Every structure is written in structure tokens, then in C-alpha cells.
Amino acid sequence: MALAFDDFGRPFIIIKEQEQKTRLRGLDAHKSNISAAKAVAHILRTSLGPKGMDKMMQSPDGDVTITNDGATILEQMDVDNQIAKLMVELSRSQDYEIGDGTTGVVVMAGALLEQAERLLERGIHPIRVAEGYEMASRIAVEHLERIAHKFEFSVTNIEPLVQTCMTTLSSKIVNRCKRSLAEIAVKAVMAVADLERKDVNLDLIKVEGKVGGKLEDTELIYGILVDKDMSHPQMPKQIEDAKIAILTCPFEPPKPKTKHKVDIDTVEKFQTLRQQEQKYFDDMVQQCKDVGATLVICQWGFDDEANHLLMNRNLPAVRWVGGVELELIAIATGGRIVPRFQELTSEKLGKAGLVREKSFGTTKDRMLYIEHCANSRAVTIFIRGGNKMMIEETKRSIHDALCVARNIIRNNSIVYGGGSAEISCSLAVEAAADGYPGVEQYAIRAFADSLDSVPMALAENSGLQPIETLSAVKSQQLKENNPCCGIDCNDIGTNDMREQNVFETLIGKKQQILLATQVVKMILKIDDVISPSDY
Amino acid sequence: IESLFKDEATEEKGERARMASFIGAMAIADLVKTTLGPKGMDKILQSTGRGRSVTVTNDGATILKSLHIDNPAAKVLVDISKVQDDEVGDGTTSVVVLAGELLREAEKLVATKIHPMTIIAGYRMAAECARDALLQRVRDNKEDAEKFKADLMKIAMTTLSSKILSQDKEHFAKLAVDAVMRLKGSTNLESIQIIKKPGGSLKDSFLDEGFILDKKIGIGQPKRIENAKILVANTAMDTDKVKIYGARVRADSMSRVAEIETAEKEKMREKVQKIIAHGINCFVNRQLIYNFPEELFADAGILAIEHADFDGIERLALVTGGEIASTFDNPESVKLGHCKLIEEIMIGEDKLIHFSGVEMGQACTIVLRGASNHVLDEAERSLHDALCVLSQTVNDSRVLLGGGWPEMVMAKAVDELARKTPGKKSLAIEAFSRALIAIPTIIADNAGLDSADLVAQLRAEHHKETSNAGIDVISGSVGDMAELGISEAFKVKQAVLLSATEAAEMILRVDEIITCAPRRREGM
């Protein structure tokens, strides 16, 4: 009711301008919310699994993105509906937290809502449904932990890690060379991983792409790659045992922040000023030279005069290097970022075994490789590919693979993929349902049914009979008491995911179930949608 | 259902999405198809910008770059053509046509209810097999310098024969080969300068061993210098501003102004003196040289050239072995450039400055002559293609025959693979081979020949092992490509094959297109 009465019986309006707003209440609100969320899930459903299809998106500026990464699709979809936006958020939080499984989480949430709709129609209160889901998710997560395996790997034996990354990559367009890409991703993660603390700082891995060449040319560089070239065309293109001065001050006359004017009113002043200016450039270069630097990397630009002085004094230099790259260079070479020339000392210089410039293709694209660094804790993955969209998609895929490798290092428990974990959970939840008295029982059963939706979508996308395949696998799991039976997407001939080497991380799966349940709970709790109507 | 997307955003799903992208991609392929091969036709492009400038070209990349395309799948094709141009320089049309043909075949397969993923799997196997087939048949003449040069010559002629330069292809092929051989293996095409001067005919184009700068010599300065010492500079020679921030001149009387002006002049004079102190007799600056310093240079008998563009400066520095200077306090440490002779020459109506007998033999200049600017532009593009291909071939000396030969070799190998492969994939592999054969078919069609007959003959020829048969467009029959001297670089063919397959795969994988509402611009 938008109209209420005060103590004196006079009516007053709670929500103003009623007629300009649309309002949905009760079951209608639930239904419209659920249908919006289902629509989003439906879009992503076909992208699931190794045989999933891609989506092509055209941005407002006409750029084309082709991807099957759930988070990217949703982000670029330009969604208007509020509930659909919640789903976008859901996928994004999975992306931030885990990095992989962004499609699965949305499909899962969509299935949960679909089941909830049926329960609502039967007149079950939404909060009861939500609570039932909550219980069920707890059962599922506990069950996941039971069927999870510890996963042994070490610095020398990275094969298990590579296998897991391959599972992630196999659903992407790059699955043609998933083996080599998975190896690259794992080696990169291992290079920067802190195995003591079980943590990986992914910021130390730079992913750089350049159009051209083949996907197979993608390489891992133990060092930093900067998309810049030497400031003067005649500086040496290769420097061995470089001592690098990393500067954030420009090779230009100083520009004090305070407003000031230097007045020139006599000839003498004019001349002294000129001399000072020259001396200034000279000092800057000399200071770099004095501390023994053989390469200058600067965040800012150079004045022509300074540039030539550097050249003249045989001090190669790179200008306009971005802040993030500068930090990575500092980390890799063990140098310090120096904000003023006066503070430059020889201890603050970074060291690298080899710095070289490499050119690509027929255009004058050059990149700077900084390799054999003092501290090889920063690496670069350099992606080549036939076109821009391919490179962008490869970047996203590599990011997913990196995240998966990191998750395993953090927590080395895994579950088996191919829908086997979902099927197993579904069986466990189903079995536990009968133990709960009350209406929640129905919700828990519905949860079990919606867990089936992931393997179902997998089977559907792989061109198998979804219901037949799923029931066959389910009965097999029960009969053999083997939680590793999943959908045979690649038509290899076995249902056992252990033999197929399809793994996923435990935290990834856990997070998927928890996040999906949370969002569904949130959506179920809404019973009134007030939105400004179209004008 | 309520709308999920913002207004004006559209969504296409499943079959419709696939159709939309197939049609877009094939339309692009059909557009450039007619430019393929030695008898391919040109296109006129008119820009929508001011002046409505016109470009006549048959370079695939140039055509596609200038198109305004709305179809996202078509954009993928434009992109691969651009990459092909950047990476190897030639084959920009072929790559689009092949991708288009692959999609055309895929469309038929999809219509018979074969899943796109199966098609992709088949295409991948086929592409791998095709590449292996090519690798087996490449020839490599790196060891034999004479033969290698002949190979280069053949490649250049083959590349040029489809362009406007085909009339004088021998002449230009020689130019290109000479220029690239001078680079000695570097792929840095910057040191080959191309100067276009309208007038004369294409045949009058020539390669100059030295360096030509399209600039005039200052008035009253020597027009000819022998044993020149050159200082290449990038410095302000107009008014040398004080670079310290916040500096400004404040004068309280006219006389002060005059004093400061003299001081400024004095400063410039000093600068000029310093430059002269390098013991030079030629000074080339990237920036402007004002009248006053120019006069000073003229007095000292020094040739001063102003406002040479940045590329020109870099090249000149490279050629003469000097460095680009911006400060002049240490004359002893600045490396000067040297050359035997600087003189002013005339090409057509224009005066140019010619540096000959330079230290570094790498650089050279190609002067293009032609009837109109359009002809020259197209000639430059053609020559650029040839130079790119040659410089890539110098590094990767593997060579194939041309005239549809590689496609037939690949098609044969792929066909064999199809027969051996069980399952639905074999249909896709077969389709791949059909797409490959489409290329010689298009070449023959464009030449007005009976393509069906020729391709059938070609197929029969290729049934024999080690056949060299290809389409001889000139005589309109099947001929021996080795004898006709039609060659192509392996690197180009490989790039065409791989990027076309990649692009086709990418488009095939799509089952949904979401187009966002176009961004509204202010004032529209």
C-alpha cells in the first residue's frame, strides 16, 4: 500500500509519483526475476564444456570480441535488467576469487532458480526454499571435501599441474595447443610461486600479446618484455650485463609544482639561464653515468638535447615506460625505482644479463626483452596469434589457466571434472534429503536436481543424449561407488575422469556451489520490484 | 519476457547467428575475390572524407582496410588480412578468399546437420596435413647463392605479376631483388626508401645506390660537395627557447628588448659556430632552419638542409654512419656522417638532393616514376608487397611453386587424409580440400578461362607423383610451373593457410551474436 493514514486520519503518500513507476509484487515479482536470471543462464549454457560454443560480441564502439569465458561474455553483454546484473556480478566474483568456472556458476544459479520456480508455484514459501538450498549446499560442500583428492606435486614434478590447466584450456579456442600453453602457464606460476607461504602473486606474471605469427610461437620469457624501443635509433640494440637505472623523473628541466615565474630582464640573466639549462642536462646524464648505469629506463620523456647527450655518452635509454611495467622491471632486476637523479646510487641499480631489442614482421614493431634478471621472480608470457581477437581470447584463457595453477598451489585438493563431482554431490544431497523433516526436504531435492543441470548441459553441448547419458552415469556411480564417473565429452570411450585426466580444483567447485546458492537466496528474497517506468 | 538487454542491443542465436556470420564473411571474400591472380581486376575506393580522394588498388589489405563494415564476422576477416600484411606483406587477398571458401564449405556441412565442432576438428587435421604436404615439397636453395637469387627473382616476378606493375615486372623484380639483397638478411625495410615522382613512365623507375632526400638546398649555398662531412641533427634552429619552466622575458623599455634580441641572436650565432666547429660541410636538421642561421651557414660555405622528416633523418643517419645530434658542445665525440658526393639532381621537374658513395651499403632509394599519383601509389604498394615477401624469403629461404600448385598439392594430401579418416570428420576434411581447390578455380575464372576444365586437368596431372603442374594464365592451359618460373615463398603460403583456418575456426565456434547499442556521440 502506498497510501497510509496518520494519527488524524489524513491520508499521506509513502511512495511518490506512483503512476510513473512500475511495480511488481509477490509471485509475479519472483517469476519475472527468475525468468530474467534464467535467460542469462540460458545464454551461457551452450558455452559450457570442451565442445561449448563461443559468443561473438560487438561493443558500442564496434569492436568485436569472440570468447567463451563466462565472465567476459556477461561483462560485455550490456545488460539492462537488474536481476541479470546480479548474475553478472556473480560471475565476476567467481572470476576475482577463483578465476575459472565463471560459466558453470551462472548455469548452476540458473538451474537452482528454475527449480525454485516450480516449488513456488506449489505454494512453498520462498524463504523455506532458500533455507532448504542453504542446507543442501552445506551437504554438497561436505560431500565434495569427502570425495576430494590430495594432489601431490613438487617443483620438479609439475605434470599434475599441467594436467589440471589442460582441463581448463580444453574448453577454449586455444585447445589446439593446450599442452604447450598449459606448460607455459604452470612454469610461469612456478617461477613466481612462494611455495613456503603457498601463495602466488599473479601480478608478477605479465601477459603480453602481439599480433602475428602462430599460436605455437607463444613463449614464456624469464624476464620482462616491454613494448618500447630505444629512445635514439642509433643506440645499441643489445646490452649484456646491463645495470639498469629505473627512473621516474623526466630528462627535462625541472617543473616545480608551485607557480612561479623566472623573469628575464637583462642580457646577463638570459645567458646565465641558458648556461644553467645546459648544465642541468649535463648533470642529469652524468649522474646516471657516475653510478655505473649502462641502461636507463624512464617513465617520462626525454628532451632532444638530453637524448643526444645520452647517446653521446653511450648510455642507452628507454622512455615512456608505463608505471606497472616499471615496477615489474624493478622487481625482476632487483633495482629500486628512483624518483630523483640526486638519489641515484649504484646499489639502486637493477641488473639483467641480457637486454635486447627484437623486431617483428614487416612493420617497424620493436620490443625490448630484459632477460637473465638478477631475480627471476617476474616472468612474461608472450602470446602470438593470427589476429587480434585470437590474442585477446588467448590472454583470457591463459589467465584462467594461471588462476587454476595458483589455486592448486594454495590448496592442493582436487575433484574430478566432466560433471562427475556434480553428479556425485547430487546423489549425496538426494540421499540426505529424506532425513530432513518439513518443507525444506523438497527444496533439498530440487537442489539435487539442479546439480544435475551442469552434466546435462555438458552432455547436450557434446552432442550426446542428455537424459540418457546422465542417468547411465548416475547409475554407474551408484553401482561402482565411484565418484569419478563423468560425461565423456571428447568421445574417448571411458567415463572415468581419472583415466581421462580431467581435474578441477576443490576450492573452485566449492566456491561455485556457495556463490550460486547465495545469489539464488538473494533473488528469492525479493518480493517487490519497484522501477521507474519507461518514459 | 522482459527485455534483458539495453534498448537497441540485439541478440542473435544459434542458426541465425551462424548464418549472419557466414554471410558476412562470404560477402567480404566475394568482394576481394575478383582481384586474385595475375588477371585479377582492381577496385576503386573513394573515401567519404573531405576531398573524396580516390584510390585504385588490387591489394586485398588496402581494400579491406578502407571498408566500413558492420558485420562482426567480416571484421574478423579484415583483421586477418591486416595481420597478414604486417607479418609477411603479401597474400592478403588469398587469406581472405581461403577463409571465405572454408566457411562456404562449412555452411553446406552445417546444413546437413554436422556439428560445427566436428567441422573444426576436421579442419584442424586437414590444415596440419596440408602444411606437412607443403613442407615435403619445398625447395631450399640457400646454399647456392646464384640459384637463390634466381628464386628471389622468380618470387618477385610472381608477386608483381598480379599488380599494376605486371607490364614491367622484370624491371621491378630486379629493382626489388637488388634492394633486398643489399639489406643482407635484415628485415628492416626502413632503409629502403621509396620516392614517388609523377611524370615519365613506370619503366623510368630506378634504384639508386645512394640516398635521395626530397628537399631543396638553401639559397646561396654550394650545390655540389665532394667528400662531404655531414652532421645530422635534431635541434631547434628557429628561436632557441629557454626550456626552464616558467621562464619569460620581461622588459621595461625598448632598448632592453633590443638587447635581449641581440643576446638571442648571439646565442644562435654561437650555436651555429659550434656546429661549424665540427668541421662539417653539410648540415641536415629535422626541424626548421630560420633565415638567419641559414645565412650564417651559407657564409661558412656549408650546405644546410632544413625540415627533413623524421624518417628521412633516421635513414640518413643510418646511411652515412653519423649520429643524430642535439647538443654541440663536444665536437670530438660526435660521429659525423660521410659521403663521397652531394649534389642536386633533377627528376622530372623537381630538384632533389642526392647523396652518393655513402659508407653503409645497406640503404638505397627506389625512385618510382609514373603517369599519375594513383599509379604511383599503387606501384608503391605493389613494390612494398614484393619487398616484404623478398625480405622474409631471405630469412626463410624455402620456396614453393606458384600458380595454384601449392593448393593442388595440399588438396591432394588432404583428400588422401579424408579417405583414411573414419567418422564425420572426414566430410570436413574433404570440404577443406574443396576450399583449397577453389583458389586455382578463382584464378582461372578471373582470367576468363574455363576453370572447371583446367582444374580437372590439373587434378589429373597432380595424380602423378612430383608433378609441377599449375595454371598458366597467359596461355590459358596447364603448364609446368618450374619451367615457367612461377614461385612463391613458403612463409607466405603457410601464413595464409594457418590464419585462414584459424579465422574460419573462430567464426564457426560462434553460436550467438550480441550487438551492443552503438555509443551515442555528442551532437548526433
Side-chain angles (χ1 to χ4, degrees):
Chain A
M1 265 298 164
L3 213 61
F5 297 93
D6 64 6
D7 295 345
F8 306 101
R10 281 176 303 206
F12 65 91
I13 296 166
I14 298 174
I15 301 172
K16 257 191 183 171
E17 291 157 346
Q18 260 320 268
E19 59 282 358
Q20 286 182 27
K21 296 209 162 62
T22 53
R23 190 165 175 202
L24 278 175
R25 305 196 59 193
L27 200 57
D28 280 344
H30 278 120
K31 279 202 172 154
S32 99
N33 290 346
I34 287 172
S35 78
K38 260 162 59 185
V40 174
H42 192 77
I43 291 175
L44 289 191
R45 202 179 153 92
T46 51
S47 288
L48 206 68
K51 294 276 170 77
M53 305 294 277
D54 287 3
K55 308 277 174 267
M56 188 184 266
M57 262 116 18
Q58 199 166 15
S59 80
D61 298 322
D63 299 330
V64 177
T65 312
I66 300 180
T67 182
N68 79 4
D69 181 53
T72 315
I73 297 174
L74 290 176
E75 214 146 287
Q76 304 221 342
M77 232 163 52
D78 205 8
V79 178
D80 206 21
N81 189 294
Q82 308 87 340
I83 300 298
K85 275 183 189 156
L86 272 182
M87 301 293 265
V88 176
E89 282 296 320
L90 166 70
S91 161
R92 196 179 297 156
S93 58
Q94 173 84 7
D95 192 32
Y96 285 160
E97 196 55 29
I98 305 296
D100 189 30
T102 49
T103 314
V105 68
V106 174
V107 172
M108 176 85 204
L112 282 174
L113 284 170
E114 201 174 334
Q115 295 292 338
E117 194 180 8
R118 270 184 228 158
L119 296 179
L120 292 181
E121 271 170 9
R122 287 204 213 160
I124 296 178
H125 194 272
I127 299 294
R128 305 293 291 267
V129 177
E131 269 166 18
Y133 277 180
E134 183 72 41
M135 290 174 199
S137 74
R138 227 174 297 140
I139 302 168
V141 169
E142 271 165 27
H143 181 72
L144 270 183
E145 270 169 19
R146 246 195 322 277
I147 62 168
H149 287 249
K150 283 283 172 200
F151 200 53
E152 289 314 317
F153 67 92
S154 62
V155 183
T156 45
N157 176 23
I158 57 167
E159 184 58 28
L161 282 176
V162 175
Q163 293 285 358
T164 321
C165 287
M166 271 165 69
T167 308
T168 305
L169 290 176
S170 64
S171 66
K172 314 281 182 198
I173 194 169
V174 295
N175 58 8
R176 181 154 47 96
C177 31
K178 60 179 172 186
R179 174 86 214 175
S180 60
L181 286 180
E183 271 171 19
I184 286 174
V186 172
K187 278 184 194 156
V189 169
M190 291 310 266
V192 303
D194 187 346
L195 291 176
E196 293 286 298
R197 284 197 306 122
K198 291 200 170 182
D199 197 14
V200 183
N201 185 359
L202 286 187
D203 289 342
L204 293 179
I205 301 175
K206 192 173 168 220
V207 182
E208 185 80 41
K210 186 119 211 151
V211 179
K214 309 189 284 288
L215 202 54
E216 284 84 355
D217 298 338
T218 301
E219 55 179 341
L220 177 67
I221 296 159
Y222 289 97
I224 304 288
L225 193 66
V226 190
D227 194 358
K228 289 278 177 299
D229 53 359
M230 295 289 182
S231 63
H232 197 286
Q234 283 161 319
M235 285 177 180
K237 306 277 182 236
Q238 186 162 345
I239 305 155
E240 278 166 29
D241 289 324
K243 295 206 174 61
I244 307 169
I246 305 161
L247 298 171
T248 53
C249 44
F251 272 92
E252 273 165 18
K255 282 183 186 166
K257 296 275 185 323
T258 42
K259 216 172 171 189
H260 71 289
K261 290 270 183 315
V262 182
D263 281 341
I264 304 171
D265 46 8
T266 59
V267 177
E268 290 76 42
K269 270 196 184 167
F270 182 78
Q271 275 163 351
T272 39
L273 208 59
R274 218 184 79 215
Q275 270 156 15
Q276 245 178 9
E277 181 187 298
Q278 274 181 347
K279 192 170 165 307
Y280 193 81
F281 284 125
D282 207 60
D283 283 352
M284 284 192 292
V285 177
Q286 199 53 44
Q287 265 161 354
C288 296
K289 198 78 191 160
D290 281 345
V291 294
T294 55
L295 174 68
V296 177
I297 290 179
C298 185
Q299 195 176 6
W300 303 101
F302 301 162
D303 192 272
D304 283 343
E305 277 187 59
N307 201 0
H308 178 249
L309 270 177
L310 285 169
M311 163 74 201
N312 200 330
R313 305 271 170 85
N314 197 14
L315 192 60
V318 187
R319 59 182 152 184
W320 297 120
V321 178
V324 183
E325 286 166 335
L326 211 64
E327 261 173 44
L328 277 175
I329 292 173
I331 293 169
T333 60
R336 293 263 296 276
I337 298 178
V338 182
R340 262 187 291 273
F341 287 99
Q342 289 78 12
E343 288 168 20
L344 207 58
T345 58
S346 55
E347 298 90 62
K348 288 182 182 167
L349 296 180
K351 290 180 189 60
L354 182 66
V355 177
R356 64 194 165 98
E357 207 181 83
K358 196 177 166 188
S359 54
F360 295 96
T362 61
T363 45
K364 46 178 193 175
D365 274 347
R366 297 198 197 94
M367 290 185 118
L368 205 65
Y369 285 67
I370 302 173
E371 290 172 305
H372 307 298
C373 302
N375 172 7
S376 62
R377 287 281 306 281
V379 294
T380 307
I381 297 176
F382 185 45
I383 298 172
R384 307 298 314 273
N387 55 51
K388 205 172 70 213
M389 295 138 209
M390 192 77 189
I391 298 230
E392 288 302 314
E393 178 66 359
T394 314
K395 269 189 189 172
R396 283 188 285 269
S397 313
I398 287 268
H399 168 254
D400 282 6
L402 289 175
C403 289
V404 167
R406 176 191 63 177
N407 291 340
I408 293 199
I409 288 177
R410 276 192 184 157
N411 178 352
N412 63 350
S413 305
I414 52 135
V415 291
Y416 288 92
S420 66
E422 281 87 353
I423 299 175
S424 177
C425 284
S426 150
L427 286 171
V429 172
E430 183 93 58
D434 296 340
Y436 285 86
V439 191
E440 281 85 2
Q441 201 185 84
Y442 281 86
I444 295 174
R445 278 210 198 98
F447 191 92
D449 281 345
S450 35
L451 274 171
D452 286 346
S453 69
V454 172
M456 196 100 99
L458 273 180
E460 213 174 294
N461 291 345
S462 314
L464 304 169
Q465 300 282 349
I467 299 174
E468 238 168 70
T469 322
L470 182 63
S471 43
V473 174
K474 242 182 173 172
S475 71
Q476 196 185 350
Q477 278 215 4
L478 266 182
K479 229 183 281 166
E480 299 174 11
N481 198 15
N482 175 6
C484 307
C485 290
I487 308 288
D488 180 18
C489 298
N490 291 323
D491 212 19
I492 294 178
T494 168
N495 273 339
D496 196 327
M497 291 298 131
R498 243 179 311 194
E499 281 167 42
Q500 287 210 13
N501 281 328
V502 180
F503 316 112
E504 280 174 74
T505 55
L506 172 67
I507 24 178
K509 263 276 123 58
K510 244 164 65 180
Q511 196 74 21
Q512 264 187 9
I513 293 180
L514 291 177
L515 277 177
T517 317
Q518 249 173 46
V519 166
V520 167
K521 259 178 78 183
M522 196 197 281
I523 294 177
L524 283 179
K525 273 193 159 176
I526 303 170
D527 76 336
D528 199 341
V529 181
I530 302 170
S531 51
S533 68
D534 302 328
Y535 40 87
Chain B
I1 254 183
E2 254 187 281
S3 74
L4 196 60
F5 300 104
K6 289 207 178 112
D7 294 345
E8 287 178 61
T10 56
E11 184 194 9
E12 279 173 81
K13 288 190 149 181
E15 283 308 296
R16 283 196 44 173
R18 211 166 281 136
M19 276 308 130
S21 46
F22 282 170
I23 289 169
M26 284 189 298
I28 290 292
D30 286 344
L31 183 78
V32 290
K33 199 161 110 175
T34 52
T35 63
L36 202 68
K39 293 276 168 80
M41 304 301 274
D42 289 3
K43 305 263 176 262
I44 287 187
L45 307 170
Q46 190 173 29
S47 81
T48 48
R50 234 161 28 121
R52 311 242 152 208
S53 63
V54 169
T55 316
V56 183
T57 183
N58 83 2
D59 181 46
T62 314
I63 298 172
L64 293 178
K65 243 185 279 179
S66 343
L67 292 177
H68 292 287
I69 297 171
D70 204 31
N71 188 303
K75 277 191 185 153
V76 176
L77 287 196
V78 173
D79 201 50
I80 56 167
S81 149
K82 221 166 77 202
V83 173
Q84 179 84 5
D85 194 29
D86 289 349
E87 220 17 49
V88 285
D90 194 27
T92 49
T93 314
S94 316
V95 68
V96 174
V97 172
L98 184 57
E101 288 303 322
L102 284 174
L103 287 173
R104 195 188 306 275
E105 291 296 332
E107 189 195 3
K108 288 181 207 155
L109 292 179
V110 170
T112 58
K113 301 275 179 241
I114 291 179
H115 197 269
M117 284 295 164
T118 320
I119 304 178
I120 289 172
Y123 275 8
R124 274 189 189 170
M125 285 172 69
E128 201 53 40
C129 160
R131 202 177 131 223
D132 289 342
L134 280 189
L135 271 174
Q136 271 172 21
R137 300 289 298 270
V138 290
R139 17 190 111 187
D140 193 341
N141 285 332
K142 190 145 193 109
E143 308 306 319
D144 190 342
E146 269 307 300
K147 265 195 183 161
F148 183 49
K149 199 165 175 198
D151 271 352
L152 284 182
M153 194 70 195
K154 280 184 208 157
I155 291 177
M157 273 164 60
T158 312
T159 306
L160 291 173
S161 66
S162 65
K163 314 275 163 152
I164 199 168
L165 300 176
S166 62
Q167 290 306 312
D168 312 300
K169 61 181 175 192
E170 216 156 313
H171 181 65
F172 281 99
K174 205 165 158 346
L175 282 186
V177 172
D178 282 348
V180 170
M181 289 304 264
R182 293 176 74 90
L183 290 178
K184 298 193 182 66
S186 116
T187 51
N188 187 3
L189 291 180
E190 281 164 63
S191 36
I192 301 176
Q193 189 192 18
I194 298 180
I195 287 184
K196 298 175 283 185
K197 283 283 157 203
S201 74
L202 281 172
K203 240 198 171 95
D204 298 335
S205 309
F206 61 93
L207 176 86
D208 196 281
E209 313 232 323
F211 183 81
I212 292 177
L213 201 60
D214 194 357
K215 285 281 169 264
K216 286 199 180 64
I217 294 177
I219 297 156
Q221 291 166 345
K223 298 273 184 246
R224 182 187 160 90
I225 298 175
E226 280 180 42
N227 287 329
K229 286 189 211 97
I230 310 161
L231 181 68
V232 187
N234 174 15
T235 183
M237 289 301 271
D238 34 10
T239 47
D240 212 353
K241 283 190 212 81
V242 177
K243 283 171 190 157
I244 289 172
Y245 185 67
R248 61 170 183 180
V249 177
R250 174 179 254 173
D252 42 17
S253 68
M254 269 318 279
S255 59
R256 282 287 168 80
V257 177
E259 269 172 34
I260 287 173
E261 202 196 337
T262 351
E264 238 173 36
K265 252 191 179 161
E266 202 51 44
K267 186 181 171 191
M268 185 48 72
R269 192 191 298 277
E270 244 174 64
K271 193 167 182 180
V272 173
Q273 287 305 332
K274 274 188 203 157
I275 292 170
I276 295 173
H278 285 73
I280 54 165
N281 46 21
C282 175
F283 175 72
V284 185
N285 191 14
R286 187 171 83 86
Q287 300 174 24
L288 281 175
I289 304 179
Y290 268 25
N291 284 355
F292 174 65
E294 190 178 323
E295 188 196 322
L296 291 176
F297 281 123
D299 284 348
I302 288 175
L303 175 62
I305 302 162
E306 65 164 4
H307 214 214
D309 54 53
F310 201 77
D311 277 355
I313 279 284
E314 265 187 38
R315 249 186 234 126
L316 187 64
L318 195 74
V319 170
T320 58
E323 69 181 56
I324 302 174
S326 294
T327 55
F328 309 101
D329 291 327
N330 313 306
E332 61 286 346
S333 70
V334 172
K335 262 204 311 199
L336 295 179
H338 294 279
C339 80
K340 291 247 161 54
L341 180 68
I342 301 177
E343 60 179 341
E344 200 175 51
I345 53 165
M346 300 268 290
I347 296 178
E349 285 284 278
D350 292 318
K351 287 178 191 165
L352 303 167
I353 305 167
H354 180 231
F355 299 75
S356 58
V358 290
E359 278 192 348
M360 304 260 276
Q362 278 198 2
C364 56
T365 304
I366 294 175
V367 180
L368 286 178
R369 308 298 314 276
S372 75
N373 275 325
H374 300 304
V375 172
L376 284 176
D377 285 344
E378 177 64 0
E380 188 193 358
R381 277 191 291 272
S382 316
L383 202 59
H384 171 256
D385 279 7
L387 289 174
C388 286
V389 173
L390 289 177
S391 68
Q392 295 292 333
T393 319
V394 169
N395 284 338
D396 182 349
S397 59
R398 287 173 289 182
V399 172
L400 296 165
L401 295 177
W405 179 85
E407 282 81 11
M408 293 311 288
V409 169
M410 290 192 274
K412 191 182 161 208
V414 172
D415 256 343
E416 267 162 31
L417 176 74
R419 259 175 255 144
K420 277 184 268 173
T421 314
K424 279 188 275 191
K425 272 184 235 164
S426 72
L427 289 174
I429 301 176
E430 241 173 52
F432 195 93
S433 123
R434 275 200 299 279
L436 283 171
I437 292 181
I439 295 214
T441 315
I442 293 168
I443 294 180
D445 273 341
N446 285 347
L449 304 172
D450 184 350
S451 61
D453 180 43
L454 273 178
V455 172
Q457 275 186 42
L458 207 55
R459 238 183 152 144
E461 276 295 320
H462 271 270
H463 194 62
K464 294 179 231 152
E465 289 295 316
T466 67
S467 162
N468 287 336
I471 294 180
D472 180 0
V473 174
I474 310 301
S475 70
S477 61
V478 169
D480 187 327
M481 291 295 120
E483 271 170 35
L484 287 166
I486 297 177
S487 296
E488 280 178 81
F490 170 71
K491 200 163 175 192
V492 174
K493 272 283 158 243
Q494 174 183 288
V496 166
L497 181 72
L498 294 182
S499 9
T501 320
E502 221 166 64
E505 188 181 312
M506 212 158 185
I507 295 173
L508 267 174
R509 278 177 70 103
V510 171
D511 76 335
E512 179 149 345
I513 301 177
I514 297 167
T515 315
C516 296
R519 196 184 297 281
R520 293 196 186 277
R521 294 200 172 74
E522 294 294 313
M524 267 177 81

